[in-house]
Amino acid sequence: MTDPEPAPVPATPLPVTARAPGKCILFGEHGVVRGTPELLFALDLETQVVVQAAEHTQLNGHGDAATAPGYFRTALEEMWALGRPLAVRTTSRVPRRSGLGSSAAFVAALAAGLGAATGGIDRPTLARRSFGIEQHAQGIGSPGDTTASVAGGYVALNDASGTELWTLEDGQIQWTARRIPDPGWIWVVAYSGIPRAAPEAIRSVRERLEQPDGPELLRQFEAVARAGIRALLREDREEVGARLTENHRVLREVGVSHPRLEALLEAARPSMIGGKLTGAGRGGSIVALPFPGRELELARRIARAGGVPYIVRPSSRGASLVAPEQ
Ligand code: PMV
């Protein structure tokens, strides 16, 4: 069971160890940047960060990370002016630049650790700060990824279904995050081995949506995400599978598929009800809904086609502290 209202992160003195999951987008990536609905779940692949006092601020032993533009500097400078040097070490099971939320997991775990070390932090604030860090460092995007990493479980943005968790905004668009119950299904996600380039893909889709048929494409993103969320709530696998495949067609139409992603989906087809690319695209990963009991067969097909498959269950645990060993 996923807690509909995840608990605050309690105040904890340094050193602090925190963790957060990666994410998989089922419906609505790209459209969500414009405020249409999205459905994601937190992956059972996590990133862990250890935050401790130090003589010089460092990330994984490198002092440069504290001054180079990026998530780490933004977290330290923009969100937490701690006024004391910190050494942060990370370990992660989320493949980098795969579209599976490695940056969101790092940001959410780091924000949970820094929040704990500065008197504790409630979930909505943790979600807003994590989004703020990503926005500041990346300059573009939606709060979907960081919301899933902070909340755990299944989360929908900008759909009326489910229990409200929090709202987020970037000054122009507002997103409402809601908890969606976990139907208990097993998924297969697979990395193509081609790093995805999120900001470039997001910008190219933005240009595509400014073409004359842009409003119609955005309407299709919205319709397929709403129908997919309804189908998941009804636990209707066939319909969810059909909507995944339909969502993929819209993503292909806006130009973010890749021959390797198409090859992986083709290889998966006999063992899956439906599937699509997941994340920004042009590389990155796919997600497939297997026929029940055929998860391993599906993973094997994908591996034979050159992908790196993961058989995953959504993690109900969002960003959280790891208790120190006694
Ligand atoms: O590939 P990722 O994990 O960065 O996912 C990007 C999802 C987009 O909708 C394309 C952008 C966003 O910020 O929501």
Side-chain angles (χ1 to χ4, degrees):
M1 260 296 289
T2 306
D3 185 349
E5 288 177 43
V9 176
T12 312
L14 293 176
V16 170
T17 304
R19 65 186 157 208
K23 67 89 211 329
C24 173
I25 302 174
L26 290 178
F27 297 106
E29 57 269 87
H30 286 293
V32 69
V33 179
R34 297 286 193 96
T36 60
E38 182 180 49
L39 178 69
L40 329 79
F41 65 79
L43 285 176
D44 55 355
L45 301 170
E46 291 185 331
T47 294
Q48 185 161 308
V49 305
V50 181
V51 183
Q52 56 192 52
E55 282 186 16
H56 306 287
T57 294
Q58 294 180 347
L59 176 62
N60 293 330
H62 298 291
D64 305 350
T67 50
Y71 303 112
F72 188 56
R73 189 180 80 172
T74 306
L76 295 186
E77 285 188 358
E78 303 294 324
M79 299 288 155
W80 278 273
L82 287 177
R84 61 182 152 153
L86 294 174
V88 173
R89 289 211 160 264
T90 67
T91 44
S92 181
R93 289 195 57 221
V94 190
R96 288 190 61 212
R97 301 191 66 203
S98 61
L100 298 177
S102 62
S103 61
F106 168 62
V107 164
L110 180 63
L114 294 174
T118 51
I121 185 164
D122 63 72
R123 286 282 149 176
T125 308
L126 182 58
R128 288 183 193 119
R129 291 211 171 171
S130 300
F131 175 45
I133 294 166
E134 264 217 339
Q135 265 282 336
H136 203 272
Q138 198 171 275
I140 195 163
S142 83
D145 293 16
T146 44
T147 292
S149 290
V150 168
Y154 281 80
V155 178
L157 264 67
N158 291 1
D159 187 79
S161 317
T163 324
E164 182 168 329
L165 290 169
W166 47 70
T167 57
L168 305 115
E169 56 160 305
D170 71 354
Q172 289 168 351
I173 297 185
Q174 202 190 59
W175 294 267
T176 304
R178 291 172 185 267
R179 165 68 70 222
I180 298 292
D182 183 344
W185 300 348
I186 297 174
W187 296 88
V188 176
V189 299
Y191 178 38
S192 64
I194 312 228
R196 65 97 183 89
E200 292 80 350
I202 298 169
R203 284 193 187 93
S204 79
V205 172
R206 186 166 63 190
E207 281 167 25
R208 180 71 182 80
L209 294 178
E210 279 158 12
Q211 302 299 311
D213 62 346
E216 169 55 21
L217 288 166
L218 200 59
R219 200 197 57 72
Q220 289 179 22
F221 273 128
E222 170 158 10
V224 75
R226 288 204 195 285
I229 293 168
R230 296 286 166 286
L232 188 105
L233 284 166
R234 290 197 309 274
E235 304 190 10
D236 182 342
R237 282 183 207 254
E238 290 298 325
E239 179 70 8
V240 169
R243 297 299 178 175
L244 290 168
T245 301
E246 183 187 341
N247 195 159
H248 182 72
R249 275 200 295 273
V250 189
L251 288 163
R252 210 166 45 198
E253 179 69 27
V254 299
V256 291
S257 192
H258 185 283
R260 291 295 310 141
L261 299 173
E262 296 297 323
L264 294 185
L265 287 167
E266 194 50 45
R269 206 164 312 281
S271 319
M272 73 176 187
I273 306 174
K276 61 186 269 294
L277 73 83
T278 183
R282 289 190 160 177
S285 299
I286 62 161
V287 56
L289 180 59
F291 289 109
R294 294 173 63 184
E295 297 80 12
L296 205 53
E297 177 192 313
L298 174 51
R300 284 208 186 100
R301 284 181 190 279
I302 291 170
R304 276 201 295 271
V308 183
Y310 299 85
I311 297 175
V312 296
R313 281 177 189 283
S315 161
S316 61
R317 183 171 65 198
S320 52
L321 299 185
V322 180
E325 285 177 28
Q326 300 298 314

